[in-house]
Amino acid sequence: MPTLIVTKNGVAFRNVRLLEGAFRIGRSMSNHLVLPADTVSKAHALLTRHGHFVTLHDLHSTNGTLVNGTDVSVQPLLDRDIIQICNFEMMFLDRDFASAEIIEEPPPEPVVDAVETERAPLEAAVAAVGVDASGHRIGGSRGARWVGNGVAFALPAQGREIEALITDDALASHFGAYVHASDGASRAVSAYEENHVAINVAAWSRYDASHREPIVVRSSDF
């Protein structure tokens, strides 16, 4: 299970597990992870987990959110990425950590209006499964599927499958799949299926360069 190792000014703060779905970070007590500092926005950032994939969304915070030193608005996370929110640092680990805790659901407080853009619904692409000319499923044994911030697929590798994801911005900029619409999820899956050879080549290139799993394909990888 993915884990956040949280420090404040270099001192251990908390170690928390990321469950499936949304995980809110901010100053308000309505967040899963409360960061008690005036420089942290009440609703600062949102992590969304869909299976192997975790994506960070900055919620238009006052002081921003950094990943590996770069200011981001939306960023899929990879193992050992460093998230910085003011004087807090969080190392993202794509695995269990012995002392990590599970945080109970906090009191509700709507943060939907703060998210950068409306995402296409996950359900819209569940049934969209394509096959190639040989009858093989495109995107691996589970097919290509929308996971809220991109299309997840798998690459065969010596008897196993390596999980991969192409981000929504890469699908938009290189394949014209604009996902911020009611049918955006289906469009995104269709764009992957129609261009899966080129996308798979980009994914293998990323894997050859980093050997990090899961593979995340961004706009800059084309």
Side-chain angles (χ1 to χ4, degrees):
M1 184 181 296
T3 306
L4 284 183
I5 309 300
V6 187
T7 61
K8 180 181 181 182
N9 295 325
V11 178
F13 183 70
R14 293 180 83 173
N15 301 328
V16 298
R17 289 189 170 96
L18 297 177
L19 303 180
E20 191 78 7
F23 183 88
R24 302 186 298 276
I25 302 172
R27 190 176 77 245
S28 168
M29 294 302 294
S30 64
N31 293 286
H32 294 86
L33 178 59
V34 179
L35 303 181
D38 291 340
T39 52
V40 177
S41 296
K42 289 182 179 180
H44 198 106
L46 176 71
L47 298 179
T48 54
R49 177 187 166 199
H50 294 290
H52 292 283
F53 302 105
V54 177
T55 300
L56 180 145
H57 301 255
D58 179 79
L59 299 178
H60 297 297
S61 63
T62 300
N63 292 309
T65 303
L66 305 181
V67 175
N68 300 329
T70 300
D71 191 19
V72 301
S73 57
V74 180
Q75 179 81 5
L77 297 177
L78 295 173
D79 186 45
R80 304 188 73 82
D81 277 350
I82 301 295
I83 305 165
Q84 183 177 346
I85 295 178
C86 302
N87 58 340
F88 293 88
E89 281 195 352
M90 288 152 268
M91 178 182 287
F92 171 75
L93 298 178
D94 189 20
R95 57 189 180 277
D96 281 332
F97 192 80
S99 63
E101 61 180 303
I102 293 177
I103 297 178
E104 298 296 330
E105 186 66 23
E109 180 178 293
V111 296
V112 173
D113 292 342
V115 177
E116 183 187 19
T117 56
E118 181 180 351
R119 299 278 157 177
L122 179 64
E123 296 78 13
V126 169
V129 176
V131 295
D132 62 20
S134 301
H136 298 117
R137 217 173 201 187
I138 296 173
S141 60
R142 297 175 62 193
R145 58 210 182 275
W146 176 255
V147 295
N149 52 275
V151 172
F153 57 99
L155 299 173
Q158 298 180 337
R160 69 183 183 99
E161 292 186 332
I162 300 176
E163 290 289 330
L165 176 138
I166 179 168
T167 62
D168 52 7
D169 64 319
L171 288 166
S173 60
H174 294 282
F175 304 106
Y178 296 97
V179 303
H180 304 296
S182 59
D183 63 343
S186 294
R187 281 194 216 172
V189 171
S190 295
Y192 169 78
E193 291 173 349
E194 292 167 7
N195 301 280
H196 70 279
V197 175
I199 294 169
N200 287 4
V201 168
W204 276 121
S205 178
R206 286 293 307 145
Y207 184 70
D208 287 341
S210 67
H211 292 284
R212 299 179 73 182
E213 300 180 39
I215 305 164
V216 176
V217 181
R218 302 185 175 96
S219 291
S220 57
D221 295 319
F222 290 92

